[in-house]
Amino acid sequence: MDFIEELTWRGMINTVMPGADEELKKGMATAYLGFDPTADSLHIGHLVGVMMLKHFQRSGHKPIALVGGATGMIGDPSMKSQERKLLDETTLRHNQEAIKKQLAKFLDFDSDAPNAAELVNNYDWMKNFSFLDFIRDVGKLITVNYMMAKDSVKKRLSGDSQQGMSFTEFSYQLVQGYDFLNLYREKNCRLQIGGSDQWGNMTTGTELIRRTVGGDAYCITCNLITKADGTKFGKTEGGNVWLDPARTSPYKFYQFWLNVSDEDAAKYIKIFTELGKEEIDALIAEQAEDPGRRPLQRRLAQEVTTMVHSAADYEAALEASQILFSNKAAETLHTIDEKTLLDVFEGVPTFEVDRADIEAGIRLADLLTEKAAVFPSKAEMRKLVQGGGFSINKEKVNDPQATASTDMLLNDRYIIVQKGKKQYFLLIAK
C-alpha cells in the first residue's frame, strides 16, 4: 500500500514536503507523531493522527508515537490564545500509560515485526538536559528571526492576543525540533507526521537536522478536520468526545457518529475507518438513493465504535439506541449499565423518591402524584392507564391499582416512567 496515495484519496493530506514520497519508496521508513499528554485519554480530535500512524504501519513502515512529557510541561502555543496550565511528572506518567493502552487498539506494539510501533516520551531525553546545554547546543542553531516568522508566534504577538507569549512557549518549537533531531539520531526517524497547525514546529525539526548532521528529514501534515457547517470537529455541547469509556460512554460515542450530517459522514468514513474505496463509494451511492436509511452514518458509527471500544460495546450501544423503539426494550433496560441508562435518558424530567416507599409497595398512583409530580392528578393517571398509554420501564401497566416494587428498580435505583409515546420521566430511589 502506498502511504501518500492512500491518504490522498481519503482526503487526509494537507502538505507533503518535497522528497518525502521518494523517502517512503526506498523501503521501510520510520515516522513519528506527537501526542499531548495533558489528559489521561485521547479524544476524537486525536483520531486523525492515530489513523495516519495506523495507515503508515499498514503500508509496511514503522510508526513511533511520541508522548510529549517535556513539551506538555511547556504548552504548545499553536492555535492557542493563552498559556496553558503546566503538569507535574507524576500526572504526565499516568497519562502516558493511559494513552499507550488506547493506542494499542490501533497500532501493533508487541509483535516482533520489524515495523512494530514504539512509544517514546520526550521527557526521557529532556529531563537531564540542562538549560545552559540546551541554549548552547540547540538554541544557537536557530535564529530568533526564523522563530518569529512562524505563524503560531506571529499570531500570539499580534494585537489580536491580549496574553502575549512567555519565553517558555516561545521556546516550544526548539524543544519539538530537538525531538525530531533526537529520533533521527537514535532511531533513524526521517519523517514527522502531524496536523497542518503543527507545520511551523515540524519544519524547525527538519532545519535542526539539516544544520547539525546535514541529513534529510521530511514532514507530512494532515488537514484539520471541520464539520460541514464550519464548526470545530469533535466538540459537543458537553465538551470533548473522549476515547475513554469512563469519560464518554460507548453509547454516547456511537451516537456522535450516528448523528453526523450526510456530508460529514461521506468525509469521515474515509478518514476514520479502514474501509476500502470501492466499499465506501458503494455506501455513498446507497446513501444517495435512500438518505433516510442513513447507511453511511450507521456503518461509520459501527466501524469507529468497534475500533475504539469493541464489537460487544458496539452491539450494546446499538441495542441501547433502540430502547425507545424496540420490542425488546424492557429486557434491555434491565441489562444495560448505569452510565448508558443515564445517557439514553439524559435531559428527561427527573424526580427523587424515597426508596422506603417503593420497598413498602406504595401504589403507583400515589407515587406518581404525591411523591413525584409526573401526573397532576390520580384521575388523569387512571385515564391514561385505561387507555393503554402508561408504562413502567417500557412495560405497559394495565391496572390502575398497581403498586411499586424493588423489582422495578433498574441498576437498583432507577425507574423509567412513560406517558404516551414520547414523554419520559426518570425516578431515582434514594
Side-chain angles (χ1 to χ4, degrees):
M1 189 174 87
D2 184 293
F3 176 67
I4 291 177
E5 187 179 294
E6 181 75 10
L7 263 60
T8 298
W9 80 257
R10 290 183 181 275
M12 297 172 73
I13 290 288
N14 181 276
T15 308
V16 179
M17 188 176 281
D21 196 17
E22 290 77 8
E23 179 68 24
L24 289 168
K25 285 181 166 60
K26 290 178 183 176
M28 188 184 80
T30 301
Y32 90 94
L33 183 144
F35 294 94
D36 184 351
T38 49
D40 61 359
S41 174
L42 301 175
H43 53 73
I44 59 173
H46 294 108
L47 269 184
V48 182
V50 174
M51 292 305 295
M52 288 183 82
L53 287 183
K54 187 174 180 66
H55 288 305
F56 193 72
Q57 191 170 44
R58 288 178 65 214
S59 302
H61 302 298
K62 183 179 181 67
I64 295 176
L66 181 146
V67 173
T71 39
M73 289 182 167
I74 298 173
D76 180 6
S78 302
M79 310 297 283
K80 305 292 189 300
S81 60
Q82 59 186 8
E83 195 153 345
R84 294 184 304 185
K85 294 179 181 178
L86 310 185
L87 302 179
D88 58 67
E89 184 182 354
T90 303
T91 303
L92 287 166
R93 290 296 184 187
H94 165 75
N95 293 354
Q96 173 188 339
E97 289 307 307
I99 288 170
K100 183 176 182 181
K101 285 181 182 177
Q102 291 181 339
L103 289 174
K105 292 191 172 185
F106 301 86
L107 303 172
D108 169 21
F109 285 99
D110 299 323
S111 78
D112 55 4
N115 70 326
E118 289 186 46
L119 184 92
V120 297
N121 187 335
N122 60 11
Y123 183 75
D124 293 331
W125 57 79
M126 291 301 300
K127 62 182 176 183
N128 296 320
F129 212 153
S130 75
F131 176 72
L132 289 176
D133 286 341
F134 187 78
I135 59 172
R136 181 192 65 195
D137 297 342
V138 180
K140 70 177 183 180
L141 297 172
I142 301 294
T143 68
V144 170
N145 291 12
Y146 179 89
M147 296 171 72
M148 294 280 285
K150 302 293 185 181
D151 286 342
S152 60
V153 175
K154 286 195 289 188
K155 285 179 182 176
R156 284 290 292 275
L157 295 181
S158 72
D160 297 337
S161 173
Q162 302 300 312
Q163 298 290 329
M165 175 182 275
S166 68
F167 174 77
T168 302
E169 282 194 312
F170 183 61
S171 66
Y172 184 94
Q173 62 177 288
L174 284 180
V175 181
Q176 183 170 329
Y178 183 75
D179 289 343
F180 201 173
L181 174 59
N182 184 73
L183 291 173
Y184 181 95
R185 287 169 169 165
E186 300 296 323
K187 300 188 179 291
N188 194 32
C189 177
R190 296 172 181 268
L191 287 156
Q192 184 179 174
I193 297 170
S196 58
D197 61 323
Q198 290 292 308
W199 180 255
N201 294 331
M202 293 164 73
T203 51
T204 299
T206 61
E207 187 69 8
L208 269 179
I209 292 168
R210 186 184 68 79
R211 294 187 182 190
T212 52
V213 295
D216 294 321
Y218 310 95
C219 303
I220 299 173
T221 65
C222 61
N223 295 310
L224 296 180
I225 308 302
T226 56
K227 294 193 282 190
D229 61 9
T231 57
K232 189 172 182 180
F233 165 76
K235 290 279 189 181
T236 66
E237 289 182 5
N240 286 320
V241 179
W242 299 93
L243 306 196
D244 184 342
R247 287 173 174 258
T248 299
S249 69
Y251 167 78
K252 269 197 168 180
F253 187 86
Y254 170 80
Q255 286 292 319
F256 172 84
W257 300 101
L258 189 66
N259 290 311
V260 300
S261 69
D262 290 0
E263 187 178 341
D264 285 334
K267 178 169 68 172
Y268 296 166
I269 201 163
K270 296 175 184 176
I271 296 170
F272 299 110
T273 78
E274 292 182 75
L275 297 178
K277 192 173 187 307
E278 286 185 10
E279 191 168 2
I280 289 175
D281 287 344
L283 284 165
I284 291 173
E286 189 180 338
Q287 182 96 350
E289 286 180 15
D290 188 359
R293 288 190 60 251
R294 297 167 65 81
L296 271 176
Q297 285 93 336
R298 291 178 186 279
R299 188 61 184 278
L300 171 67
Q302 176 184 352
E303 292 291 323
V304 186
T305 305
T306 300
M307 181 169 56
V308 169
H309 296 292
S310 69
D313 285 326
Y314 159 69
E315 293 293 342
L318 179 63
E319 201 169 57
S321 70
Q322 296 171 344
I323 279 176
L324 305 185
F325 318 103
S326 169
N327 293 327
K328 295 185 358 183
E331 180 185 332
T332 303
L333 279 173
H334 284 278
T335 59
I336 62 174
D337 62 272
E338 181 178 18
K339 185 166 180 54
T340 302
L341 177 73
L342 294 177
D343 284 344
V344 171
F345 292 97
E346 183 178 30
V348 306
T350 301
F351 298 97
E352 290 186 4
V353 295
D354 193 333
R355 186 185 182 92
D357 286 336
I358 295 172
E359 290 173 346
I362 187 173
R363 286 197 317 145
L364 289 175
D366 295 329
L367 178 68
L368 299 177
T369 55
E370 298 171 6
K371 307 295 184 179
V374 173
F375 291 94
S377 69
K378 294 175 186 176
E380 183 178 314
M381 177 182 165
R382 184 166 57 250
K383 184 178 179 182
L384 195 64
V385 169
Q386 291 169 343
F390 173 65
S391 299
I392 293 287
N393 299 333
K394 297 297 288 185
E395 292 188 85
K396 281 198 184 301
V397 176
N398 299 311
D399 180 3
Q401 302 301 317
T403 58
S405 73
T406 54
D407 290 342
M408 292 177 177
L409 295 175
L410 307 171
N411 287 282
D412 200 37
R413 62 186 307 215
Y414 303 103
I415 296 175
I416 303 297
V417 179
Q418 184 179 357
K419 291 169 61 176
K421 290 185 177 180
K422 295 181 179 179
Q423 268 193 296
Y424 290 92
F425 302 83
L426 178 67
L427 304 188
I428 305 175
K430 292 194 171 182

